Amino acid sequence: MTVSERRPGPYLVVGLGNPGPKYAATRHNIGHMVLDHIADAAGGRFTAARRAQAVVLEGRLGIPGSDERVILAKTTTYMNVSGGPVKALASYYDIPPERIVAVHDEVDIPFDTVRLKLGGGEGGHNGLRDITKALGTKDYLRVRTGVGRPSGGRDTADHVLAPFTSTERKALELLISDAADAVEAVILEGLTTAQQRFHSREAR
């Protein structure tokens, strides 16, 4: 992605997470990690958004002439109130729900797995639930980044608010890279093609 001038019809890619260093390395913040990966690859920097509690980076995905304008955004609110910033950004940039991509942690799929979908339920994810409420629709794209369910009867909230294990950290960089590739694929190739590629992979 290269930072460039504006053009109509952007996508809004939102990485979900919680603010502050306390949560930076937790499973719940993998959406932020994925967007940081994309920004680092582009050589861009996030700046404070106008009229929204978020930081943003404007750029493009793809090759010149057939690229897509993209707004990368990391919410700076707590996860359970993600909807306000997403709605504000969508309104400011005039982006419809079907061109919004939420990148988030997902306990219902195994760690080291990426899945894509449009709409559907939130699976108990408070960030998604608040986005759905704010937008008034479930019909936005999701890049579901697997963090797996807790073992030994551990509470799900404690699981997602905890850092990755030492074993998981060995594969985390590749998982983040895969999720970043999935963001690009769903925007440039479409949901069906991107699903065929990523859903055919087995968790490593």
Side-chain angles (χ1 to χ4, degrees):
M1 189 180 84
T2 56
V3 177
S4 185
E5 72 277 8
R6 293 187 173 190
R7 75 175 185 183
Y11 278 85
L12 173 62
V13 181
V14 183
L16 302 186
N18 284 310
K22 176 181 178 181
Y23 299 104
T26 65
R27 295 180 179 91
H28 227 16
N29 273 45
I30 199 163
H32 282 188
M33 298 175 197
V34 172
L35 264 68
D36 284 337
H37 179 91
I38 297 172
D40 287 346
R45 296 179 61 185
F46 287 96
T47 58
R50 299 178 184 179
R51 304 177 188 175
Q53 291 179 280
V55 291
V56 297
L57 171 62
E58 299 186 38
R60 295 186 189 275
L61 291 175
I63 60 175
S66 62
D67 53 1
E68 288 281 359
R69 181 175 164 230
V70 176
I71 313 300
L72 301 178
K74 296 190 297 180
T75 53
T76 55
T77 61
Y78 284 97
M79 179 70 80
N80 63 347
V81 287
S82 299
V86 174
K87 182 177 180 180
L89 289 166
S91 297
Y92 180 76
Y93 290 103
D94 193 24
I95 300 173
E98 64 270 18
R99 292 178 75 87
I100 296 173
V101 184
V103 186
H104 62 92
D105 60 305
E106 178 61 73
V107 299
D108 287 333
I109 58 177
F111 174 77
D112 206 16
T113 304
V114 176
R115 295 289 182 265
L116 307 165
K117 72 175 184 176
L118 171 66
E122 293 88 18
H125 195 291
N126 290 331
L128 295 178
R129 184 181 294 118
D130 200 60
I131 292 171
T132 295
K133 180 179 178 182
L135 295 178
T137 180
K138 298 182 178 187
D139 292 333
Y140 52 93
L141 293 156
R142 296 101 182 270
V143 174
R144 308 164 67 209
T145 310
V147 297
R149 285 203 167 273
S151 58
R154 187 183 189 192
D155 182 73
T156 300
D158 290 340
H159 176 67
V160 298
L161 291 175
F164 291 94
T165 66
S166 57
T167 299
E168 289 171 337
R169 285 196 297 272
K170 295 176 182 177
L172 182 58
E173 184 176 347
L174 186 55
L175 173 61
I176 290 170
S177 178
D178 280 351
D181 288 346
V183 169
E184 181 170 332
V186 77
I187 290 173
L188 297 180
E189 302 171 21
L191 178 61
T192 300
T193 300
Q195 285 176 326
Q196 289 171 349
R197 187 202 307 181
F198 286 90
H199 293 194
S200 64
R201 297 182 181 181
E202 297 293 333
R204 285 175 289 270

